[in-house]
Amino acid sequence: MSGIITALTVQQKKKDRVNVYLDGRFAFGLAAIEAARLRRGQTLSDDEIAALQNRDEVQKAHESALHYLDYRPRSVDEIRRYLKGKDVTPEVMDEVIEQLTSVGLLDDRAFARYWLENRSDFSPRGERALRLELRQKGVPGDIIAEVLSEGHSEDKAAYRAAMAQARKVRTTDPVEFRRKMEARLARRGFSYDTAREAVARAWSELQP
Protein backbone atom coordinates (compact mmCIF):
# COMPACT_ATOMS: atom_id res chain seq x y z
CA MET A 1 0.00 0.00 0.00
CA SER A 2 3.01 2.30 0.25
CA GLY A 3 3.08 5.19 -2.18
CA ILE A 4 3.30 8.92 -2.82
CA ILE A 5 0.58 11.26 -1.60
CA THR A 6 -0.99 12.80 -4.69
CA ALA A 7 -4.03 14.47 -3.09
CA LEU A 8 -5.55 15.36 0.28
CA THR A 9 -9.23 16.28 0.02
CA VAL A 10 -11.80 17.15 2.70
CA GLN A 11 -14.69 14.70 2.77
CA GLN A 12 -18.01 16.20 1.64
CA LYS A 13 -20.14 14.72 4.40
CA LYS A 14 -17.59 14.88 7.21
CA LYS A 15 -15.65 18.11 7.08
CA ASP A 16 -13.40 17.00 9.94
CA ARG A 17 -12.03 14.12 7.88
CA VAL A 18 -9.72 14.01 4.88
CA ASN A 19 -9.34 11.49 2.06
CA VAL A 20 -5.75 10.51 1.34
CA TYR A 21 -4.82 9.51 -2.22
CA LEU A 22 -1.69 7.54 -2.98
CA ASP A 23 -0.37 7.38 -6.54
CA GLY A 24 -3.63 8.86 -7.82
CA ARG A 25 -5.97 6.46 -6.04
CA PHE A 26 -7.97 6.76 -2.84
CA ALA A 27 -6.12 4.97 -0.06
CA PHE A 28 -7.76 5.79 3.27
CA GLY A 29 -9.46 8.46 5.36
CA LEU A 30 -7.97 10.36 8.28
CA ALA A 31 -9.05 12.88 10.88
CA ALA A 32 -8.21 16.37 9.66
CA ILE A 33 -5.88 16.92 12.62
CA GLU A 34 -3.80 13.93 11.54
CA ALA A 35 -3.98 14.76 7.84
CA ALA A 36 -2.65 18.26 8.58
CA ARG A 37 0.76 16.70 9.17
CA LEU A 38 0.86 15.25 5.66
CA ARG A 39 1.72 16.94 2.37
CA ARG A 40 1.42 16.20 -1.33
CA GLY A 41 4.48 14.50 -2.71
CA GLN A 42 5.29 12.82 0.59
CA THR A 43 6.12 9.13 0.43
CA LEU A 44 4.44 6.87 2.97
CA SER A 45 5.77 3.43 3.81
CA ASP A 46 3.55 0.51 4.82
CA ASP A 47 4.56 0.98 8.46
CA GLU A 48 3.77 4.71 8.37
CA ILE A 49 0.37 4.04 6.84
CA ALA A 50 -0.38 1.40 9.47
CA ALA A 51 0.59 3.84 12.23
CA LEU A 52 -1.63 6.57 10.75
CA GLN A 53 -4.58 4.23 10.47
CA ASN A 54 -4.10 2.97 14.03
CA ARG A 55 -4.05 6.53 15.39
CA ASP A 56 -7.17 7.23 13.35
CA GLU A 57 -8.95 4.22 14.84
CA VAL A 58 -8.00 5.39 18.32
CA GLN A 59 -9.23 8.91 17.54
CA LYS A 60 -12.57 7.65 16.23
CA ALA A 61 -13.07 5.36 19.20
CA HIS A 62 -12.09 8.17 21.57
CA GLU A 63 -14.68 10.51 20.05
CA SER A 64 -17.31 7.78 20.19
CA ALA A 65 -16.58 7.18 23.89
CA LEU A 66 -16.78 10.91 24.63
CA HIS A 67 -20.17 11.04 22.93
CA TYR A 68 -21.33 8.15 25.14
CA LEU A 69 -20.05 10.00 28.21
CA ASP A 70 -22.09 13.09 27.26
CA TYR A 71 -25.26 11.56 28.68
CA ARG A 72 -23.93 10.62 32.13
CA PRO A 73 -20.77 9.30 33.82
CA ARG A 74 -19.89 5.72 32.91
CA SER A 75 -17.99 2.87 34.48
CA VAL A 76 -14.92 1.45 32.75
CA ASP A 77 -16.86 -1.70 31.93
CA GLU A 78 -19.72 0.28 30.37
CA ILE A 79 -17.27 2.05 28.05
CA ARG A 80 -15.61 -1.25 27.19
CA ARG A 81 -18.94 -2.88 26.32
CA TYR A 82 -20.01 0.16 24.31
CA LEU A 83 -16.82 0.20 22.25
CA LYS A 84 -17.01 -3.55 21.74
CA GLY A 85 -20.45 -2.98 20.24
CA LYS A 86 -18.81 -0.55 17.82
CA ASP A 87 -16.40 -3.31 16.69
CA VAL A 88 -13.42 -1.52 18.22
CA THR A 89 -10.42 -3.83 18.59
CA PRO A 90 -9.23 -4.72 22.12
CA GLU A 91 -5.92 -2.91 21.54
CA VAL A 92 -7.61 0.33 20.49
CA MET A 93 -10.15 -0.07 23.30
CA ASP A 94 -7.40 -0.37 25.90
CA GLU A 95 -5.68 2.75 24.59
CA VAL A 96 -8.87 4.80 24.65
CA ILE A 97 -9.71 3.66 28.18
CA GLU A 98 -6.20 4.52 29.31
CA GLN A 99 -6.52 8.01 27.78
CA LEU A 100 -9.89 8.66 29.40
CA THR A 101 -8.70 7.33 32.76
CA SER A 102 -5.56 9.46 32.72
CA VAL A 103 -7.59 12.69 32.45
CA GLY A 104 -10.20 11.64 35.02
CA LEU A 105 -13.08 11.02 32.63
CA LEU A 106 -13.19 7.35 33.63
CA ASP A 107 -13.02 6.48 37.31
CA ASP A 108 -15.02 3.58 38.76
CA ARG A 109 -14.84 4.99 42.28
CA ALA A 110 -16.16 8.39 41.18
CA PHE A 111 -18.80 6.66 39.06
CA ALA A 112 -20.01 4.56 42.01
CA ARG A 113 -20.30 7.70 44.15
CA TYR A 114 -22.25 9.44 41.40
CA TRP A 115 -24.59 6.45 41.07
CA LEU A 116 -25.31 6.31 44.80
CA GLU A 117 -25.87 10.07 45.03
CA ASN A 118 -28.20 10.00 42.04
CA ARG A 119 -30.20 7.13 43.52
CA SER A 120 -30.33 8.86 46.90
CA ASP A 121 -31.67 12.06 45.36
CA PHE A 122 -34.16 10.65 42.88
CA SER A 123 -34.91 6.99 43.61
CA PRO A 124 -33.63 5.67 46.97
CA ARG A 125 -32.56 2.03 46.96
CA GLY A 126 -31.50 -0.49 49.57
CA GLU A 127 -27.91 -1.64 49.79
CA ARG A 128 -28.76 -4.98 48.20
CA ALA A 129 -30.22 -3.29 45.12
CA LEU A 130 -27.37 -0.79 44.90
CA ARG A 131 -24.76 -3.54 45.03
CA LEU A 132 -26.54 -5.40 42.25
CA GLU A 133 -26.85 -2.31 40.05
CA LEU A 134 -23.18 -1.40 40.44
CA ARG A 135 -22.10 -4.99 39.78
CA GLN A 136 -24.16 -4.91 36.60
CA LYS A 137 -22.24 -1.77 35.62
CA GLY A 138 -19.01 -3.69 36.07
CA VAL A 139 -17.78 -1.85 39.17
CA PRO A 140 -15.37 -4.04 41.20
CA GLY A 141 -16.71 -5.38 44.48
CA ASP A 142 -14.08 -3.73 46.66
CA ILE A 143 -14.96 -0.29 45.25
CA ILE A 144 -18.68 -0.94 45.78
CA ALA A 145 -18.06 -1.88 49.41
CA GLU A 146 -15.84 1.15 49.96
CA VAL A 147 -18.29 3.65 48.50
CA LEU A 148 -21.29 2.17 50.31
CA SER A 149 -19.41 2.42 53.60
CA GLU A 150 -18.69 6.10 53.04
CA GLY A 151 -22.17 7.38 53.71
CA HIS A 152 -25.03 5.15 52.62
CA SER A 153 -27.66 5.00 55.38
CA GLU A 154 -30.11 2.16 54.86
CA ASP A 155 -32.63 3.57 57.33
CA LYS A 156 -32.61 7.06 55.82
CA ALA A 157 -32.87 5.70 52.29
CA ALA A 158 -35.78 3.47 53.27
CA TYR A 159 -37.59 6.37 54.93
CA ARG A 160 -37.14 8.60 51.89
CA ALA A 161 -38.33 5.83 49.60
CA ALA A 162 -41.32 5.18 51.85
CA MET A 163 -42.37 8.83 51.91
CA ALA A 164 -42.06 9.06 48.13
CA GLN A 165 -44.05 5.88 47.54
CA ALA A 166 -46.67 6.56 50.24
CA ARG A 167 -48.20 9.36 48.21
CA LYS A 168 -48.90 6.89 45.43
CA VAL A 169 -50.73 4.37 47.60
CA ARG A 170 -54.44 5.23 47.61
CA THR A 171 -55.79 3.61 50.77
CA THR A 172 -56.80 4.59 54.28
CA ASP A 173 -56.56 1.04 55.57
CA PRO A 174 -53.34 0.62 57.61
CA VAL A 175 -53.02 -3.11 56.88
CA GLU A 176 -53.34 -2.64 53.12
CA PHE A 177 -51.04 0.37 53.26
CA ARG A 178 -48.38 -1.63 55.09
CA ARG A 179 -48.67 -4.60 52.73
CA LYS A 180 -48.38 -2.51 49.57
CA MET A 181 -45.62 -0.30 50.90
CA GLU A 182 -43.48 -3.12 52.25
CA ALA A 183 -43.74 -4.88 48.89
CA ARG A 184 -42.63 -1.72 47.10
CA LEU A 185 -39.65 -1.21 49.38
CA ALA A 186 -38.68 -4.87 49.08
CA ARG A 187 -38.50 -4.42 45.31
CA ARG A 188 -36.08 -1.56 45.94
CA GLY A 189 -33.71 -3.83 47.82
CA PHE A 190 -34.61 -3.07 51.43
CA SER A 191 -34.75 -5.81 54.05
CA TYR A 192 -38.07 -6.74 55.67
CA ASP A 193 -37.17 -5.18 59.03
CA THR A 194 -35.90 -1.94 57.49
CA ALA A 195 -38.94 -1.64 55.23
CA ARG A 196 -41.35 -2.34 58.11
CA GLU A 197 -39.86 0.42 60.28
CA ALA A 198 -39.82 2.93 57.41
CA VAL A 199 -43.41 2.15 56.46
CA ALA A 200 -44.59 2.48 60.05
CA ARG A 201 -42.90 5.86 60.33
CA ALA A 202 -44.34 7.03 57.02
CA TRP A 203 -47.87 5.98 58.03
CA SER A 204 -47.56 7.79 61.33
CA GLU A 205 -46.31 11.02 59.80
CA LEU A 206 -48.94 11.06 57.06
CA GLN A 207 -51.90 10.80 59.43
CA PRO A 208 -53.89 14.05 59.90
Side-chain angles (χ1 to χ4, degrees):
M1 193 187 213
S2 61
I4 299 173
I5 298 175
T6 51
L8 297 163
T9 62
V10 176
Q11 294 183 3
Q12 291 185 352
K13 294 184 178 180
K14 296 182 179 180
K15 301 300 182 181
D16 60 340
R17 294 188 61 78
V18 170
N19 291 329
V20 180
Y21 291 80
L22 297 178
D23 301 324
R25 293 180 297 179
F26 170 77
F28 51 89
L30 276 182
I33 192 171
E34 290 290 340
R37 304 174 185 177
L38 305 178
R39 66 183 187 280
R40 290 177 59 187
Q42 179 180 352
T43 299
L44 294 178
S45 67
D46 288 340
D47 288 344
E48 288 172 326
I49 293 171
L52 284 168
Q53 291 179 315
N54 181 70
R55 287 202 298 271
D56 190 53
E57 288 302 313
V58 171
Q59 177 67 21
K60 287 191 292 187
H62 187 269
E63 290 178 359
S64 185
L66 288 177
H67 178 71
Y68 191 48
L69 283 164
D70 271 348
Y71 299 96
R72 65 165 173 79
R74 305 282 178 179
S75 68
V76 172
D77 191 61
E78 282 185 294
I79 290 292
R80 192 176 294 281
R81 282 181 281 174
Y82 176 74
L83 293 178
K84 185 177 181 180
K86 297 287 185 180
D87 295 324
V88 174
T89 66
E91 295 77 16
V92 169
M93 196 183 304
D94 288 343
E95 189 167 345
V96 170
I97 288 173
E98 183 178 347
Q99 290 176 355
L100 294 172
T101 301
S102 68
V103 296
L105 290 176
L106 269 187
D107 181 333
D108 276 347
R109 189 170 281 98
F111 169 77
R113 291 189 182 114
Y114 154 81
W115 191 263
L116 263 60
E117 290 172 4
N118 184 271
R119 281 303 195 206
S120 177
D121 290 342
F122 301 106
S123 184
R125 294 282 196 276
E127 184 173 313
R128 183 176 61 200
L130 292 170
R131 285 183 182 277
L132 176 60
E133 288 179 345
L134 288 172
R135 281 201 302 269
Q136 290 173 338
K137 301 296 181 184
V139 179
D142 59 332
I143 292 179
I144 295 174
E146 176 188 334
V147 173
L148 282 170
S149 70
E150 289 177 350
H152 176 71
S153 171
E154 192 81 343
D155 292 339
K156 289 181 180 179
Y159 170 69
R160 293 188 64 191
M163 292 301 289
Q165 291 296 311
R167 297 178 178 86
K168 302 175 184 178
V169 176
R170 306 296 182 183
T171 180
T172 57
D173 179 65
V175 175
E176 184 181 5
F177 178 84
R178 186 180 68 247
R179 177 179 58 80
K180 289 183 176 181
M181 286 291 296
E182 288 178 358
R184 292 189 180 205
L185 265 62
R187 289 195 293 271
R188 288 172 174 262
F190 294 104
S191 69
Y192 172 76
D193 288 340
T194 300
R196 183 180 59 184
E197 291 179 9
V199 170
R201 182 180 173 188
W203 172 260
S204 176
E205 293 187 9
L206 290 171
Q207 296 314 297

